[in-house]
Amino acid sequence: MLKIYGRDNSINVRKVLWACVELGIPFEREDWGSGFRSTSEPAFLAMNPNAMVPVIDDGGFVLWESNTILRYLAAQYGAASLYPADVRQRARVDQWIDWQASDLNRSWSQAFMALVRKSPDYDDARLVAASIANWTRYMRVLEQQLQHTGAYVAGADFSLADIPVGLSVNRWFGTPFEHPDLPAVAAYYERLRGREGFRLYGCNGQA
Ligand SMILES: N[C@@H](CCC(=O)N[C@@H](CS)C(=O)NCC(=O)O)C(=O)O
């Protein structure tokens, strides 16, 4: 059975858990990471030298990096609807997965660490304001895209990209500051609530 290593309050672990629900993959999970077993233990470092969760072990095939894990699971467990075989459609899904990891995810870190984690190391009002401004700029890009598709981030159908992007929208609404009105994002969030994977793993953690 697929083994998942990582605490389920981590946004990156929750991506994998949500994907397993979408793909109907049974799994076992072990708690590792902040608050649980340390990822600096040699046994964990042997699986992921970055000391980060999630890691999966699929019948001896060990893999880390959450978005790579999503792509692997979709390809291996055959949900073409989540990760299309058509090269251009697949590239569109990849575009939004990579955008979430490289741009959106980076934009919120200062604001999230200060306002949700309440970490004194991040408590700099000027930097928090800059982070919110940058985060909002990316969320407006998402708003525009969702207005265009009228449904999901890569088009009319739910895809693998909606997992990282949906978790990001959860983080947006869960971070306390004055949010601008983004009606297509709000409607998207409601649409995601209809999915079992989102209800189970999309909105239950803090990380
Ligand atoms: N690029 C990595 C980032 C993973 C990451 O940042 N994981 C965090 C939790 S969200 C972590 O392992 N933190 C250390 C810990 O929990 O001990 C991925 O997407 O898998």
Side-chain angles (χ1 to χ4, degrees):
M1 182 176 307
L2 178 73
K3 192 94 182 246
I4 300 172
Y5 298 88
R7 55 191 170 88
D8 68 0
N9 58 0
S10 143
I11 189 169
N12 290 306
V13 174
R14 285 190 286 146
K15 288 179 193 172
V16 177
L17 297 172
W18 182 355
C20 284
V21 176
E22 295 289 345
L23 293 161
I25 306 170
F27 62 86
E28 287 170 356
R29 189 182 61 78
E30 258 181 38
D31 276 324
W32 286 84
S34 185
F36 299 92
R37 283 183 74 178
S38 168
T39 53
S40 300
E41 282 186 26
F44 193 91
L45 290 175
M47 293 191 296
N48 183 0
N50 300 291
M52 295 276 194
V53 293
V55 174
I56 62 164
D57 183 336
D58 191 19
F61 178 65
V62 175
L63 193 65
W64 44 264
E65 201 57 52
S66 59
N67 290 338
T68 303
I69 294 171
L70 295 192
R71 292 178 173 111
Y72 165 76
L73 292 176
Q76 180 74 333
Y77 294 97
S81 62
L82 288 192
Y83 198 45
D86 175 84
V87 172
R88 290 186 177 178
Q89 285 179 22
R90 179 169 287 209
R92 187 66 66 211
V93 171
D94 280 333
Q95 170 191 281
W96 288 104
I97 292 175
D98 291 339
W99 171 81
Q100 186 277 342
S102 56
D103 293 329
L104 183 62
N105 181 70
R106 205 174 296 151
S107 72
W108 72 52
S109 59
Q110 180 87 29
F112 177 75
M113 292 305 289
L115 302 174
V116 176
R117 289 281 174 79
K118 309 230 181 275
S119 167
D121 295 346
Y122 290 81
D123 189 18
D124 177 322
R126 200 178 52 83
L127 293 180
V128 170
S131 170
I132 290 174
N134 204 22
W135 191 0
T136 302
R137 182 169 75 85
Y138 286 118
M139 290 301 287
R140 289 196 193 283
V141 172
L142 179 60
E143 170 72 15
Q144 194 179 22
Q145 173 67 3
L146 291 170
Q147 279 181 8
H148 172 68
T149 67
Y152 296 100
V153 70
D157 300 314
F158 182 89
S159 77
L160 214 52
D162 291 295
I163 296 175
V165 172
L167 282 158
S168 305
V169 172
N170 174 245
R171 175 146 295 185
W172 167 255
F173 286 121
T175 304
F177 61 88
E178 201 168 324
H179 292 75
D181 191 26
L182 300 177
V185 171
Y188 173 66
Y189 198 56
E190 280 311 303
R191 202 167 293 125
L192 292 177
R193 280 185 204 282
R195 307 190 77 86
E196 190 193 4
F198 177 81
R199 287 195 302 273
L200 287 173
Y201 300 116
C203 50
N204 68 342
Q206 294 88 40

